[in-house]
Amino acid sequence: MWAVAAGLLAGCESGPADSNATATASGRATATAPSPGGCLDALRKAKAAVQAAESTDTAWNGPRSGPAAVPGKTLVYVAQTMTNPGVAAVAKGVEEAAEAIGWNVRVIDGEGTPAGIQAAFSQAVTLKPSGIVIGGFDPRLTSQQVARAEAAGIPLIGWHAVSSPGPSTSPRLFTNITTKVEDVARISADWVIARSDGDAGVVVFTDDSIPFARNKAELIKRQLASCPGARLLAYKNIPIPDASQRTPQEISSLLSRFGKKWTHSVAINDLYFADAAPAFRAAGKPGAGPPFNIGAGDGDPSAFQRINSGRFQAATVPEPLTQQGWQIVDEFNRAFTGSPPSGYVAPVHVVTADNSGGGTSWDPEGYREAYEQIWRGRG
């Protein structure tokens, strides 16, 4: 917990990003020089929002009632790419939940290319499963395969498939599992505003080939703009499948271009910071920052490890990835019984070294027990 009011006025009048201001490992400025800021109201709101999002009171507030388990079902999880840690972690959650409910699951890797994803989805439809998961890609890439699945009566559930949680009519999804992208984008930008006391030079990393990611990045930019002192230095479009190759070069270029003006980064996925680490290290940058880096999803174990050890990532806005895998299975069970979707959307949360408890994932407490009670007919 940290005071909302402390340093508000001083922070909004703080100096430029390459001034002699010092900062803590979490990215909060501790000394500033005067200059126009004009973000007092934005800073006050950001600090309050971040304080609430960093709370560790994460008891399960999702569904506790629903249909009992339908036996003998088979799911196919079509993954955008299993090199995306979030996609892979949700697949693992689906496999875990399927074992608990007594179903079978097959994961098919689209390997991050349109052709690979289309081939994986075609294979999924050919297998005639009970349901197909669209794991982290835009269904418009696979419109023909989606049409084939619909014609075959195979229900589809998305994870990060469209921009909003809940059912979708175009494409037709029983439901889409995700936190609210608006909330994730807003809290990521607010973290930068709050931890810099309204004085930051920011780089945003995204993958514009994914509409969900592009929308998130645009929302991050919009929220940063609410504080004039949070200056957008660069917007870098790096497709996730190319991140391991391109990110180190981009980091080196950005460091050369902006130097100390670059104080904070926001990425639409934590994996950018795994790929950025060698370039930061080679440039002699301290692991604890600056720049202070926050991932606006997905909160995979490697992100937690970087945060806990102070290695080129200070925070993440994690999805409850394992819980979302369990939710996918529960939503399919509702679809198979003619019940409506649960409507559950996970709350936004921010993890730092101060509140992670040394863990490597974030999930609400008690969701496994709640789902198992439902499936046993006790919900």
Side-chain angles (χ1 to χ4, degrees):
M1 302 286 286
W2 42 279
V4 173
L8 285 177
L9 185 57
C12 281
E13 295 176 350
S14 61
D18 56 350
S19 72
N20 292 325
T22 59
T24 67
S26 60
R28 186 188 316 136
T30 57
T32 57
S35 77
C39 66
L40 181 62
D41 188 53
L43 180 57
R44 182 184 295 112
K45 291 177 180 177
K47 289 202 171 192
V50 171
Q51 180 175 316
E54 288 182 346
S55 171
T56 56
D57 181 12
T58 57
W60 177 243
N61 64 346
R64 293 186 177 276
S65 62
V70 177
K73 297 298 182 179
T74 299
L75 305 179
V76 174
Y77 183 100
V78 180
Q80 180 245 355
T81 171
M82 290 295 280
T83 62
N84 182 328
V87 171
V90 173
K92 186 176 180 180
V94 170
E95 291 173 330
E96 182 185 287
E99 183 177 357
I101 202 173
W103 296 353
N104 294 315
V105 176
R106 179 168 177 177
V107 177
I108 304 177
D109 190 351
E111 300 180 346
T113 67
I117 293 168
Q118 289 164 6
F121 207 138
S122 291
Q123 184 180 355
V125 176
T126 300
L127 291 171
K128 299 180 180 179
S130 308
I132 296 175
V133 185
I134 298 175
F137 60 89
D138 182 358
R140 288 177 296 183
L141 288 172
T142 56
S143 57
Q144 293 181 355
Q145 290 80 6
V146 167
R148 285 176 53 202
E150 289 183 5
I154 302 172
L156 305 175
I157 288 180
W159 180 80
H160 286 205
V162 293
S163 60
S164 301
S168 170
T169 57
S170 181
R172 187 174 298 280
L173 304 177
F174 179 74
T175 194
N176 181 57
I177 309 300
T178 180
T179 50
K180 291 182 179 178
V181 66
E182 298 87 354
D183 293 345
V184 173
R186 185 180 303 112
I187 201 65
S188 302
D190 279 346
W191 183 88
V192 170
I193 294 168
R195 293 300 187 174
S196 68
D197 279 335
D199 178 19
V202 189
V203 174
V204 173
F205 296 93
T206 188
D207 180 349
D208 280 347
S209 70
I210 304 172
F212 181 90
R214 182 174 62 248
N215 183 39
K216 184 190 294 185
E218 290 298 326
L219 291 168
I220 289 168
K221 288 166 56 180
R222 187 182 306 169
Q223 185 67 10
L224 287 171
S226 70
C227 176
R231 301 170 301 282
L232 181 66
L233 301 179
Y235 178 96
K236 303 307 295 185
N237 172 30
I238 304 175
I240 286 174
D242 300 336
S244 60
Q245 283 189 319
R246 287 186 50 188
T247 302
Q249 297 173 349
E250 294 285 2
I251 295 297
S252 297
S253 176
L254 289 164
L255 288 171
S256 176
R257 180 180 174 190
F258 295 112
K260 292 181 180 179
K261 292 180 181 179
W262 181 10
T263 65
H264 293 75
S265 313
V266 188
I268 56 91
N269 191 298
D270 294 298
L271 66 81
Y272 288 100
F273 300 127
D275 297 323
F280 282 132
R281 194 176 295 111
K285 288 293 181 180
F292 304 101
N293 303 318
I294 181 169
D298 297 312
D300 66 275
S302 67
F304 278 74
Q305 291 164 3
R306 288 190 296 276
I307 291 166
N308 292 336
S309 60
R311 294 197 314 255
F312 307 107
Q313 186 166 351
T316 186
V317 184
E319 299 271 4
L321 299 172
T322 305
Q323 179 271 314
Q324 288 177 333
W326 280 66
Q327 183 179 353
I328 287 169
V329 170
D330 182 67
E331 300 291 0
F332 270 121
N333 194 55
R334 294 168 190 267
F336 298 151
T337 59
S339 303
S342 71
Y344 176 69
V345 180
V348 72
H349 184 58
V350 173
V351 168
T352 67
D354 293 334
N355 70 352
S356 72
T360 58
S361 64
W362 175 73
D363 284 296
E365 297 179 3
Y367 70 89
R368 288 182 176 89
E369 295 80 2
Y371 282 129
E372 288 179 337
Q373 287 286 96
I374 293 172
W375 300 339
R376 291 170 185 160
R378 300 174 185 171

